[in-house]
Amino acid sequence: MVLLDGKKTSGDIKSEIAIVVSEMKKNNKKVPHLAAILVGTDGASMTYVGAKVKACKLVGFDSTLVDLPADTSEEILMAEIEKLNTNTDVDGFIVQLPLPKHIDEQKVLKAINPDKDVDGFHPTNVGRMSLDLPCFLPATPFGVLELLERYNIETSGKDVVVMGRSHIVGRPMSILMSQKRKAGDATVTLVHSRTKNLASYTKKADIIIVAIGISEFLKGDMVKEGVVIVDVGITRVPDATKKKGFRLAGDVEFASVAPKASFITPVPGGVGPMTIAMLLKNTLLASTRGQEK
Ligand code: GUN
């Protein structure tokens, strides 16, 4: 069993980006600038946004955090988005999800300028992705593709099961892996909460991408020997023995699945760090596109 080390791989990608940024600086070019809007004080979201800002500093990007209270109105949020849309210094920005219940998520995502939508969540980018046109790929599926590629995992003709149909992970993952591309050309089955006899699909799969948000759901008796496992889940499970009062668990029961797997991502240190690296990659792309215009 080989661990798909997202921490190391994301470090490699960040180093590659840092080299490009230092060249930009040498040539007196503007460095990429990523902004993030955070609404509210959800612990996990604060951690993720903090990690994104920290990663920007590490590679030499400029970053801006727009930190808004939980009771921010949709109108105020839309005004903040418009400011970033028109701020020529900002190359790309994200609105951290989930948003508070009183805000219409799709309306907000639609308000982002698609050329600055480095999360790839705008309908224009989702449509372009589906049609295999140049676009910003959503960072988590992009990170999974990159991890599979860098570990030379064959996907062509393989049976891939994607578990979960979220707009952010499962749905784009299923589209991307069925396309003619590196880490693509797979026969993809998307399973979800209404799927009957789920294990009958997972037991046949060569590669399983798990993104359902239920901790330790996929167990050893649901997979075949030699399977490749990519665990996108990360949930806080209460644990009184930990200082913080919780531990982080994936959607895969690592102890029972890992012995049967040929490759498997750990949680933490698997897909999570890759998401951040790919967001930086998209921001770099947004900034160079801007300079070409
Ligand atoms: N919430 C969970 N994952 C993501 C992500 O990739 N981007 C944003 N904006 N919010 C998220």
Side-chain angles (χ1 to χ4, degrees), residues 74 77-78 99-109:
E74 203 173 83
L77 176 57
M78 295 295 245
L99 288 165
K101 296 232 164 355
H102 65 277
I103 296 176
D104 180 343
E105 189 173 290
Q106 281 308 317
K107 194 171 158 189
V108 165
L109 296 178

Side-chain angles (χ1 to χ4, degrees), residues 263-276:
F263 294 88
I264 185 167
T265 56
V267 174
V271 174
M274 292 300 293
T275 297
I276 296 182

Side-chain angles (χ1 to χ4, degrees), residues 36-37 45 48-49 52 93-98 109 112 118-121 138-141 168-169 275-276 279:
I37 302 180
S45 290
Y48 296 146
V49 171
K52 289 169 186 177
F93 68 97
I94 64 158
V95 178
Q96 187 65 27
L97 304 178
L109 296 178
I112 298 173
V118 285
D119 255 335
F121 293 166
T140 300
I168 296 182
V169 187
T275 297
I276 296 182
L279 177 65

Side-chain angles (χ1 to χ4, degrees), residues 214-262:
I214 304 171
S215 61
E216 293 164 348
F217 179 87
L218 188 76
K219 311 245 190 295
D221 61 0
M222 297 165 75
V223 305
K224 72 176 184 187
E225 284 290 338
V227 68
V228 175
I229 300 284
V230 178
D231 187 351
V232 181
I234 186 153
T235 318
R236 293 179 174 192
V237 178
D239 185 341
T241 68
K242 302 280 179 213
K243 223 166 146 191
K244 288 183 179 166
F246 65 84
R247 68 184 169 88
L248 294 174
D251 289 352
V252 174
E253 189 182 66
F254 192 88
S256 63
V257 174
K260 294 177 88 173
S262 53

